[in-house]
Every structure is written in C-alpha cells, then in structure tokens.
Amino acid sequence: MAKCSASVTLDSLVDLACRDGVDVRSTLARVLTDLYTHRPMHTAEEETQYVELMLGLIDSIDSTTHALVADKLRQYSNAPAMLLQKLDGRPDEINETRADLVELFFSAAPDDRRLILTNLDVVSYPARRRPMPSGAELVRRLEGAVLRRNPAEFSRVLAHALNIGRSLAERITYDNSGEPIVVTAKALGMKGEVLQRILLFLNPTIGQSVQRIFELSRLFDELNPAAAERMVAIWQSTSAGPHARHQAIYWDDERSGVRSSDLRTPAYPASKSKERLAKTKASAR
C-alpha cells in the first residue's frame, strides 16, 4: 500500500474527492482496499493508517461497496480483525442489495438483462459461490428431462445442480425470455448444442422463435464464465439450498406436467426497468 503523508487526514481526502459535488467515498474505500490487499504484509503504521481511514468511511459507503470490501478482506490472510468486525455489522443490507439485483434481473427486458450480465463481468460483485455438484451427470439429466418434456423434473435437478432453492429453480425454468437458462448453461460448463436443445424443448415461448434461440445462443457465446458464476453466487446467497428439503435427486415429482402461472416472466415496463438498472449501476461504482 502506498504510504501517505501523516498530514493527509480522512477529512481532507474526502473534501478533495467531493470538490466537484460528487461523493466518491465508496470509490475511495475500494481503492484503499485494493491497495491494501495487493501486498501480503504491511508495517504497523500502514495497517493503522488503513484501518483509521476505512473506519471513517464504512458508515458512508453504499451497500455494494461495503459487501465488496468485506469479501476482499475475508479472503486476505492478514486482514485487521477490528475492521472485519465492523464490516460484518451490515449483513441485512448486503443481502437486500443482492435480492434487489435478482428481482431486477428477472423483471428486466432482454437488453437490460444482457447489460446486467455485462456489468457483472466488469465489477467483481461481492458474492461467494457455494460449491456445486459435478456438472456432467447433472447436465445429462437436465437434457433428459427436457427431451421428455418434463419441466418439473428439470426444475428439481436444476435446484440440485446450482445448489439453490426450488422456487428459484422453477423461476429459472419457466422464464419466458431465456437468459437465466443461458447463465445456468455457462456456469455448468454446458456445450452450446446442448443449450440449444434445451431452449428448443423446455419452453414453447422460446422454442417456437428461431430468432430468440439465435439471440440466446449468441449471448451464450459472448457471456464471460466469471459473470455467470457471479450471478449464480448471487442466486445462491438469496435462496435456500435444495438440500434443506431432503429430496433425493431421483425423487419422482408428481407435478411433472404442471406449469405454475405465477412463475412466468412478468411484463415489466422498459422505462421502469431502465430506471432501476441505472440505480443499481450507480451503487456498484
């Protein structure tokens, strides 16, 4: 971490940053943390300086930055215990931010969903992915369920594959736009031709549109795996895992032919979607 002059106080840094009327305390917290975690060891003076600066910033930064800083420091072997304790004081706000992003993603129009995924690729979003089962067998079972026209079984296997709750797995399965399935395919290491077969047979709304399948296939090719993994991590952090239900993977779902009407992709006004997206992007900076 670069050594700052002792005469440079937190107040002077913030005053300098805000001269143009823009509050960049969240950005300052990220930069300081990046500098701090870049080096494996620090002198006592450097650590004291970092802790004092961060303690003065924590209560003023946005929830996304708060979670990002906390995640980086938890992965840093010599993180200051006092600072970690302070950062752990806002878990509800962190979870609320992630839940808002999940709702924003599912209610957004296709172009806005692509934009959200692009931002996840650029921003290291603060969510740690829980381990997922080995993908090859589960991908085979997902494809098999689709070819048998059994979306309920697909949803059940998907919950196990992504280590997410059943209700969220159903929401992904019955989504009429298809981007959540693309994210799933990329995160599980699915091949492009397998994804196309799933898109053809899982949801008639998607499968009957050649143009939609083409657009989703292109998104799959362009999607960075890291962005898909970050979205899955966010899904996991806001969803109870399937193992809490104690359902075996070979459990026979009696609702195999039932499609829940409340799981369909909601019609969301484009203007409102863009407004919420802009707010989320602003908080992520």
Side-chain angles (χ1 to χ4, degrees):
M1 179 178 180
K3 186 175 180 180
C4 301
S5 169
S7 62
V8 180
T9 65
L10 174 62
D11 289 339
S12 63
L13 283 172
V14 173
D15 288 343
L16 179 63
C18 297
R19 277 183 182 175
D20 293 331
V22 179
D23 187 349
V24 295
R25 284 173 289 190
S26 294
T27 301
L28 180 58
R30 292 190 187 204
V31 171
L32 289 171
T33 301
D34 285 341
L35 290 171
Y36 182 81
T37 56
H38 185 69
R39 289 175 53 187
M41 299 292 294
H42 296 279
T43 65
E45 181 183 357
E46 289 172 339
E47 180 165 320
T48 299
Q49 183 183 63
Y50 172 69
V51 170
E52 289 179 350
L53 288 170
M54 289 300 298
L55 288 177
L57 289 169
I58 286 175
D59 292 334
S60 302
I61 62 179
D62 60 78
S63 296
T64 300
T65 297
H66 183 284
L68 174 61
V69 169
D71 189 63
K72 283 190 174 182
L73 288 178
R74 290 190 194 102
Q75 299 178 48
Y76 184 71
S77 59
N78 298 310
M82 179 188 302
L83 193 53
L84 281 175
Q85 184 177 4
K86 177 73 171 178
L87 286 164
D88 286 339
R90 290 167 59 183
D92 290 341
E93 292 183 27
I94 296 169
N95 290 335
E96 182 179 353
T97 299
R98 293 173 181 169
D100 286 345
L101 181 58
V102 171
E103 290 303 315
L104 175 61
F105 180 75
F106 276 97
S107 60
D111 287 345
D112 291 335
R113 288 181 171 188
R114 180 184 292 269
L115 186 58
I116 290 170
L117 292 171
T118 300
N119 277 274
L120 285 180
D121 185 15
V122 174
V123 178
S124 181
Y125 201 84
R128 188 175 302 171
R129 196 185 77 181
R130 297 199 300 263
M132 298 191 301
S134 178
E137 173 62 16
L138 290 172
V139 168
R140 186 189 67 78
R141 291 184 59 80
L142 287 169
E143 183 179 8
V146 168
L147 295 179
R148 291 192 298 274
R149 305 297 179 97
N150 191 337
E153 182 185 354
F154 180 92
S155 174
R156 178 179 58 80
V157 177
L158 183 64
H160 183 78
L162 297 184
N163 199 359
I164 60 175
R166 183 65 182 274
S167 61
L168 180 55
E170 290 175 342
R171 196 172 186 181
I172 294 169
T173 300
Y174 295 113
D175 185 90
N176 280 336
S177 185
E179 289 84 5
I181 292 295
V182 173
V183 171
T184 297
K186 184 67 75 169
L188 292 177
M190 195 178 291
K191 294 181 179 181
E193 56 267 29
V194 175
L195 170 63
Q196 289 179 357
R197 286 193 290 271
I198 288 176
L199 293 173
L200 276 169
F201 295 106
L202 179 63
N203 186 329
T205 302
I206 298 172
Q208 294 173 5
S209 172
V210 175
Q211 179 63 26
R212 191 75 198 116
I213 292 177
F214 172 79
E215 292 171 350
L216 292 171
S217 297
R218 185 175 62 183
L219 174 61
F220 176 78
D221 291 336
E222 297 173 353
L223 182 61
N224 191 312
E229 290 182 359
R230 286 171 188 147
M231 180 58 79
V232 170
I234 294 168
W235 288 345
Q236 291 176 340
S237 69
T238 59
S239 170
H243 302 298
R245 299 177 181 271
H246 301 289
Q247 292 176 350
I249 191 169
Y250 295 103
W251 175 64
D252 184 18
D253 195 326
E254 295 178 355
R255 298 178 303 163
S256 59
V258 178
R259 176 169 183 164
S260 178
S261 60
D262 61 349
L263 294 171
R264 297 179 182 179
T265 307
Y268 198 84
S271 58
K272 188 173 182 180
S273 173
K274 293 181 186 299
E275 178 183 348
R276 294 183 63 192
L277 179 59
K279 291 181 180 178
T280 298
K281 288 175 61 182
S283 67
R285 292 194 180 103

